[in-house]
Amino acid sequence: AKRIIIKVGTSTLIYPNGKVNLAAIDQLAFVLTDLRNRGKEIILVSSGAVGVGMTKMNLNQRPQTIPEQQAIAAIGQGELINIYNQRFATYGQQTAQVLVTRDVIDFPESRKNVTNTLEQLLALGAIPIVNENDTVAVDELDHSTKFGDNDQLSAIVTQLVTADLLIVLSDIDGFYSDNPSTNAQAELYSLVTEINDDLMAKAGGAGSTFGTGGMHSKLQAAKRIFDANRSMVLANGKNPAIIFDILAGKEIGTFFKH
Ligand code: ADP
């Protein structure tokens, strides 16, 4: 794989106590910079704006209303990029903040603009850090819509720049036959070749306080990936160096391939 999209969920970036997981962010910066240095083209799709904003504002509960969440996300997004920039700078890697909305699906003009920007950033050797613009659109915040977390967004970005592989890092080892937090008998699927209703029924919602997408939204993303004839790996982001192993072809997490 030459062009790779990495999506990190809030659960990878924020500890259960609400503090920022600096070790994970630092390791992510190290791993992605190393891949870039080896000639890979990398785009990071990062959640975590609301989580980081909550930490900054000393909130221990996710705000209730959408406008509150938007405000906290705006505070957190700046801080999150700050942390990323600091860590990536340590390794000499240029980053870029790219905020997008669902318009990339609905409007060809927007799609073209976003694609052009991402292509240009890759050509410059930068690592784009993509998130949804929560001020303009609330798809990510409003759980009633299907955009769900950044899982869909990462699949859309994969389509836009025709990347070879999408790696989704979560707080779980992969996709199980049932939610492992409620069913100890649940088994890990190492390979999924088709997304059907049967499989969808096995996916539950988000497990953590800070996670928002849940497994359902990850399967939706996989569906989109299949439609675009791409592949996806879902793996545990506890230790982002796992990306090295995935790219080395080791059997890790759940591999979604047609
Ligand atoms: P992230 O913030 O990384 O996107 P989420 O909390 O949104 O993570 O989604 C991962 C969670 O989905 C897991 O921790 C688990 O509790 C839950 N889950 C529900 N059903 C399943 C399943 N079938 N297999 C794996 N995890 C599942």
Side-chain angles (χ1 to χ4, degrees):
K2 169 125 203 327
R3 193 172 269 197
I4 305 145
I5 315 298
I6 316 279
K7 186 259 171 178
V8 283
T10 305
S11 57
T12 300
L13 305 169
I14 313 281
Y15 286 119
N17 69 5
K19 297 285 186 193
V20 179
N21 185 341
L22 293 172
I25 294 179
D26 185 54
Q27 209 181 94
L28 203 53
F30 170 78
V31 171
L32 298 189
T33 301
D34 187 67
L35 291 174
R36 184 71 244 196
N37 290 349
R38 283 194 254 156
K40 307 278 189 204
E41 293 178 315
I42 305 289
I43 297 177
L44 176 64
V45 177
S46 179
S47 303
V50 174
V52 171
M54 284 168 59
T55 304
K56 258 219 128 175
M57 300 305 283
N58 265 314
L59 306 175
N60 45 30
Q61 259 194 325
R62 198 181 166 89
Q64 293 290 308
T65 68
I66 298 277
E68 283 174 301
Q69 291 180 24
Q70 287 177 286
I72 296 302
I75 290 170
Q77 176 67 23
E79 181 65 14
L80 181 63
I81 286 292
N82 223 352
I83 298 171
Y84 273 127
N85 282 349
Q86 261 178 23
R87 300 327 302 159
F88 274 103
T90 312
Y91 303 109
Q93 177 59 52
Q94 185 62 54
T95 57
Q97 174 179 244
V98 175
L99 298 175
V100 303
T101 67
R102 231 194 139 84
D103 282 4
V104 294
I105 312 176
D106 301 331
F107 300 100
E109 186 73 16
S110 306
R111 182 160 56 236
K112 200 173 121 243
N113 287 333
V114 173
T115 307
N116 287 346
T117 305
L118 290 173
E119 288 288 353
Q120 195 58 49
L121 285 168
L122 293 178
L124 288 170
I127 295 184
I129 303 176
V130 182
N131 191 12
E132 187 169 35
N133 187 332
D134 294 320
T135 304
V136 177
V138 295
D139 298 311
E140 190 198 9
L141 300 175
D142 182 359
H143 298 184
S144 64
T145 70
K146 282 202 187 130
F147 216 36
D149 199 43
N150 274 334
D151 298 320
Q152 306 299 308
L153 179 60
S154 63
I156 289 162
V157 170
T158 305
Q159 278 177 306
L160 286 182
V161 301
T162 51
D164 305 295
L165 180 69
L166 168 62
I167 298 176
V168 176
L169 297 180
S170 184
D171 63 346
I172 191 124
D173 289 340
F175 176 61
Y176 286 78
S177 54
D178 194 5
N179 190 344
S181 58
T182 51
N183 180 357
Q185 253 72 55
E187 281 176 48
L188 179 74
Y189 289 118
S190 53
L191 179 68
V192 170
T193 56
E194 187 194 2
I195 310 294
N196 50 37
D197 292 349
D198 203 38
L199 211 68
M200 277 292 185
K202 296 181 159 94
S208 61
T209 331
F210 297 98
T212 49
M215 211 35 67
H216 197 263
S217 117
K218 282 159 193 63
L219 291 192
Q220 293 274 342
K223 206 171 193 169
R224 199 179 272 280
I225 288 292
F226 281 174
D227 289 345
N229 247 316
R230 312 275 124 195
S231 355
M232 172 177 133
V233 173
L234 173 64
N236 201 320
K238 197 167 53 191
N239 178 357
I242 199 170
I243 295 168
F244 286 139
D245 295 331
I246 293 169
L247 294 177
K250 291 192 190 155
E251 204 176 276
I252 286 166
T254 304
F255 190 31
F256 294 83
K257 192 177 168 58
H258 247 334

